[in-house]
Amino acid sequence: MTDPSVPDVRVLTDPGHVPAAAVLALADAARAADGHPPLSDQTRVHVQRGTALAVLLTGPDEAPDGAAVLAPEGEGAVLELVVHPDARRRGVATALAGEAAVVVEQRGLQEAVSVWAHGMLPGAAELAAAHGLTPVRELRRMAVDSSVLAPLTAPELPEGVRLRPYVPGTDDAAWLELNAAAFADHPEQGSLTQADLEDRRSEDWFDAAGFLLAEREADGTLLGYHWTKAEGDGTVGEVYAVGVSPDAQGLGLGRALTVAGLVHMRDGGARRVDLYVDADNTAAVRLYEKLGFVLDAADAQYRRV
């Protein structure tokens, strides 16, 4: 006899059967309650595209209590889990994690899957340890408020460099090449494709005016960028990504681009700006701390080691 206290988990691998809108609404509800997104932007893209390897659900299709999404990432996969705030402490996360472990094993991904615990919510570390996973990476969320943003002025750019907004379509190939070079060692950002870029352009938050490109005045070669992000009423912004070409390192362009984006977001109404940075990227952490950013939360990545 089935134990009614154990949530039923459905494993969906056919994109046509995945209620994408309901999964994303679930994630939005968790973010509103926790102040932290439970699914990465790339995982959300895979849910929308129908390219997730598997989506596990508990509860009704139209309003699930919880979901686990197994999405492709390079040669491996990434697993993220979300439980509705009203359905917590009912064994939903435990049930999802158990079934997700079975799916991962069936696909032979045990050594190639990473699991993200966003916001390091209570119980995440215990659940990961129960499945033999070890923390291998910390992604910090840092923030500044209006007391830091208000006095900022437009930065002085390196000689021979100008700043302009991204032009959709026209700048795609050059930006993708720059991004891949700037994030050659980054497992997510450096692997963005044309399809990924187009998916992000289709998001409600996308604004080409806030996608700032630094180029060499002499020939228009892209040297760096600051992609800003603002959702909702625009009072909270995000340093979505800052990248500098290896050929432009040492010019102070990273700091200048960061400040330029902060000024843009502030002038657009932002009273707070967040960013995400790897804890072991000490140079970036120091730069952000000097600009006034403080630690606000953190994500942990777990793997089997």
Side-chain angles (χ1 to χ4, degrees), residues 147-170:
S147 67
V148 173
L149 296 172
L152 289 177
T153 58
E156 182 176 344
L157 295 170
E159 184 176 356
V161 177
R162 64 189 172 208
L163 205 60
R164 65 170 177 84
Y166 158 83
V167 179
T170 301

Side-chain angles (χ1 to χ4, degrees), residues 106-178:
Q106 289 173 340
R107 291 176 174 269
L109 293 170
Q110 300 96 312
E111 309 303 322
V113 68
S114 63
V115 181
W116 278 101
H118 296 287
M120 294 186 179
L121 297 176
E126 290 86 350
L127 189 60
H131 286 273
L133 301 175
T134 301
V136 296
R137 182 180 169 198
E138 179 185 333
L139 188 65
R140 295 180 179 176
R141 184 174 74 180
M142 304 181 73
V144 291
D145 59 21
S146 56
S147 67
V148 173
L149 296 172
L152 289 177
T153 58
E156 182 176 344
L157 295 170
E159 184 176 356
V161 177
R162 64 189 172 208
L163 205 60
R164 65 170 177 84
Y166 158 83
V167 179
T170 301
D171 289 320
D172 290 10
W175 179 81
L176 286 167
E177 182 178 356
L178 165 65

Side-chain angles (χ1 to χ4, degrees), residues 135-297:
V136 296
R137 182 180 169 198
E138 179 185 333
L139 188 65
R140 295 180 179 176
R141 184 174 74 180
M142 304 181 73
V144 291
D145 59 21
S146 56
S147 67
V148 173
L149 296 172
L152 289 177
T153 58
E156 182 176 344
L157 295 170
E159 184 176 356
V161 177
R162 64 189 172 208
L163 205 60
R164 65 170 177 84
Y166 158 83
V167 179
T170 301
D171 289 320
D172 290 10
W175 179 81
L176 286 167
E177 182 178 356
L178 165 65
N179 183 69
F183 290 97
D185 297 324
H186 195 283
E188 297 100 19
Q189 185 67 28
S191 62
L192 291 185
T193 65
Q194 178 69 38
D196 295 327
L197 177 58
E198 291 172 0
D199 282 331
R200 283 158 176 74
R201 287 209 307 255
S202 69
E203 295 285 349
D204 292 340
W205 56 260
F206 178 77
D207 177 17
F211 194 164
L212 307 177
L213 304 182
E215 66 180 10
R216 187 183 295 130
E217 292 179 342
D219 58 10
T221 298
L222 294 188
L223 301 176
Y225 71 91
H226 183 170
W227 191 346
T228 69
K229 179 180 181 181
E231 298 187 69
D233 61 2
T235 57
V236 178
E238 181 183 329
V239 178
Y240 191 54
V242 176
V244 177
S245 168
D247 297 333
Q249 297 290 338
L251 300 178
L253 190 54
R255 184 185 191 284
L257 280 165
T258 302
V259 173
L262 293 176
V263 170
H264 173 83
M265 288 184 278
R266 179 205 62 197
D267 292 348
R271 297 194 292 271
R272 170 192 167 105
V273 174
D274 300 330
L275 62 80
Y276 294 87
V277 60
D278 278 288
D280 62 1
N281 188 348
T282 54
V285 171
R286 282 198 300 268
L287 168 62
Y288 296 138
E289 289 176 339
K290 288 179 181 178
L291 289 173
F293 282 87
V294 296
L295 180 65
D296 185 62

